[in-house]
Amino acid sequence: MTDRLLLAAPVLGLVALTIFARRRSSPVDPSIVAVAMTAVVAAFFPLASSIIEPQSWRHGVHLPDESVRAAQVEYLFFAVGLCLAAMHVRLTRASAGPRTPRQRSRAAVLHRDRLVALGLVVGGGLLYALYVWKVGFGALTDRSNFAEKYRASSGLGALYAGINLMILGCLWAEASALPRKTLRLFRLCAAGILLWSVAFIAVRTYAVALFLGYLYLFTKRRGFTVAKVRPSLVLALLLGYVGVESYGLMRSVWHGSVTEAASALKDELPHAERMFGQVVGGSEFSHPFITQMELERFERPGDLGGATYAHALLGLAPLWLAPNRGPSLSQEFARRHYPDLSERGGGTAFSFVGEAWWNFGSMGGPLLVGLVFGWLLMGAERRVRFDPDGALQRFLPYTIHIVLLFHRNSSSSLLKLLFTVALPTALLLGGAALLWGASGRRTSLPRVQPQEAV
């Protein structure tokens, strides 16, 4: 316990220093979310498993303490990279001096936002409806066999990305200055997506994407910063996490109605220690760390030599265009270490830090990738600050949930998640620009007033 605490303490200290350096940012800014999740993933499993014996199907929960400490070291160096990026951005911003935000035409921005938001929602809705028709309503709503659901979705990525396009369209509209009546329609669409994702298909990711996107915009409009966060809010977030984990536990014993699920959960209460062990071993916060432990135990650092980052672009091609492309990093990892799960079409959550370790070696790999990742996030936030009506400002709220889950993904997965929504968005932006130019209208009108202070 003492060794684990000594390794967790500097990670928490670096994260606290990074957040303090960016205390004038929104608590839901991508960089803040990234460093906060680094602290949680780096500390949760090592500290919780030293108190409660973890229960999981993962091999990593049975590895010795040396594997835990080795994984902690890699997360420490990743945190160092994020902190260095934050310090560099802060120093360069101070030396650059004030900068005037870019001015844009009000009419052109409204035209663009209306067309893009509507195109994303309508086009995404049509794609997702076709996906539901191909997979089947029964398979999508089956809560007992998620691996089969993922297997049935193989090769249909362009179709099930439709719901992500709809989410982006709702958030794009919310970030814009569209009329209130128009916004109500997009909000109703967002509510329908939320209901579908939670009550029917049990995919929390879509609900989280909407919640974080709207929360980000709310904090921007209210000028709510990290410096204004109260301890009671942090406690509320922790209680919210407990609620999410409790829901996940209920879902694991869900065999019928809510009453039956509650009864089954009640039967487990006498075995409370085992229940808490399942939370520790099966939490979303634990899986990336466990993957890193398993990599440390069964693989060699630097073996991939950057190959997965080079091949990430190939992963963007659809199966019909590149039928012989290799499996993703998480699929390959599952094939090596969890063959039974792999045969059923399932996979394991991967580790962003583990990929850096596997490609570029111990300590140096996580440090380098943490530094580059931090620069990218903070550079995007800086661009939004000086172009409050730009396309990136509209797109950024959607990316919050991707950053929240980045630790359990590989670079190719993250790139694919972004590309599947960025490409249609770019096409719609191009179409909006062409239509605006073809209309022959003047673009020298007053700039639209942004609804939030960035």
Side-chain angles (χ1 to χ4, degrees), residues 211-223:
F211 172 75
L212 289 177
Y214 279 104
L215 181 62
Y216 170 82
L217 293 170
F218 175 83
T219 59
K220 287 294 187 180
R221 288 175 179 145
R222 298 297 188 276

Side-chain angles (χ1 to χ4, degrees), residues 225-239:
T225 63
V226 172
K228 297 179 181 179
V229 174
R230 297 181 180 179
S232 58
L233 181 59
V234 177
L235 179 61
L237 291 174
L238 291 175
L239 291 176

Side-chain angles (χ1 to χ4, degrees), residues 117-453:
L118 185 62
L120 288 170
V121 170
V122 173
L126 292 174
L127 289 174
Y128 192 71
L130 185 57
Y131 165 72
V132 174
W133 178 72
K134 283 184 171 291
V135 175
F137 184 79
L140 284 175
T141 56
D142 185 3
R143 297 173 179 268
S144 61
N145 191 353
F146 284 87
E148 173 61 23
K149 184 188 301 186
Y150 298 138
R151 187 200 63 78
S153 301
S154 178
L156 300 177
L159 297 182
Y160 70 72
I163 194 170
N164 291 318
L165 293 175
M166 295 173 70
I167 292 171
L168 174 58
C170 293
L171 294 175
W172 189 292
E174 191 69 26
S176 68
L178 294 176
R180 289 184 179 273
K181 291 183 178 180
T182 305
L183 284 179
R184 289 194 188 102
L185 295 176
F186 285 101
R187 289 169 182 170
L188 284 174
C189 178
I193 296 172
L194 181 66
L195 180 64
W196 168 255
S197 63
V198 174
F200 290 93
I201 61 174
V203 179
R204 290 174 289 175
T205 304
Y206 303 137
V208 171
L210 284 167
F211 172 75
L212 289 177
Y214 279 104
L215 181 62
Y216 170 82
L217 293 170
F218 175 83
T219 59
K220 287 294 187 180
R221 288 175 179 145
R222 298 297 188 276
F224 189 75
T225 63
V226 172
K228 297 179 181 179
V229 174
R230 297 181 180 179
S232 58
L233 181 59
V234 177
L235 179 61
L237 291 174
L238 291 175
L239 291 176
Y241 161 71
V242 172
V244 170
E245 291 292 350
S246 299
Y247 170 77
L249 189 60
M250 281 191 65
R251 192 176 69 178
S252 68
V253 297
W254 196 300
H255 301 295
S257 66
V258 176
T259 304
E260 291 171 340
S263 177
L265 186 62
K266 183 179 179 181
D267 294 338
E268 293 288 331
L269 288 178
H271 311 287
E273 185 176 352
R274 185 178 66 183
M275 289 178 57
F276 286 120
Q278 290 173 347
V279 171
V280 172
S283 171
E284 295 286 348
F285 298 150
S286 297
H287 280 294
F289 193 93
I290 292 173
T291 298
Q292 175 63 38
M293 291 170 57
E294 292 172 351
L295 286 172
E296 296 263 2
R297 186 71 172 181
F298 304 118
E299 306 292 346
R300 292 186 301 178
D303 254 9
L304 300 181
T308 64
Y309 297 102
H311 293 163
L313 292 175
L314 184 62
L316 299 177
L319 284 175
W320 61 267
L321 188 60
N324 297 322
R325 74 184 186 198
S328 67
L329 199 56
S330 59
Q331 290 172 332
E332 175 63 19
F333 180 79
R335 187 188 65 80
R336 291 192 187 193
H337 304 291
Y338 298 94
D340 293 340
L341 180 65
S342 178
E343 288 177 3
R344 289 187 283 116
T348 62
F350 204 68
S351 168
F352 194 72
V353 173
E355 182 182 15
W357 175 92
W358 208 356
N359 276 278
F360 302 126
S362 179
M363 296 180 283
L367 173 65
L368 173 64
V369 173
L371 185 63
V372 173
F373 188 64
W375 274 338
L376 288 175
L377 293 181
M378 296 171 204
E381 294 167 12
R382 182 176 174 83
R383 175 69 179 270
V384 165
R385 185 177 297 111
F386 296 116
D387 192 8
D389 298 323
L392 184 60
Q393 190 273 343
R394 307 295 196 251
F395 191 84
L396 199 63
Y398 173 81
T399 67
I400 309 298
H401 82 283
I402 298 178
V403 175
L404 181 75
L405 301 174
F406 84 97
H407 269 297
R408 68 190 305 276
N409 284 293
S410 62
S411 60
S412 61
S413 298
L414 294 174
L415 187 60
K416 194 170 185 178
L417 285 172
L418 288 172
F419 181 79
T420 53
V421 294
L423 178 61
T425 303
L427 294 175
L428 286 170
L429 286 169
L434 288 174
L435 288 174
W436 180 257
S439 69
R441 298 171 65 181
R442 295 176 60 85
T443 60
S444 59
L445 300 175
R447 186 179 66 88
V448 65
Q449 294 299 319
Q451 294 187 15
E452 68 274 0

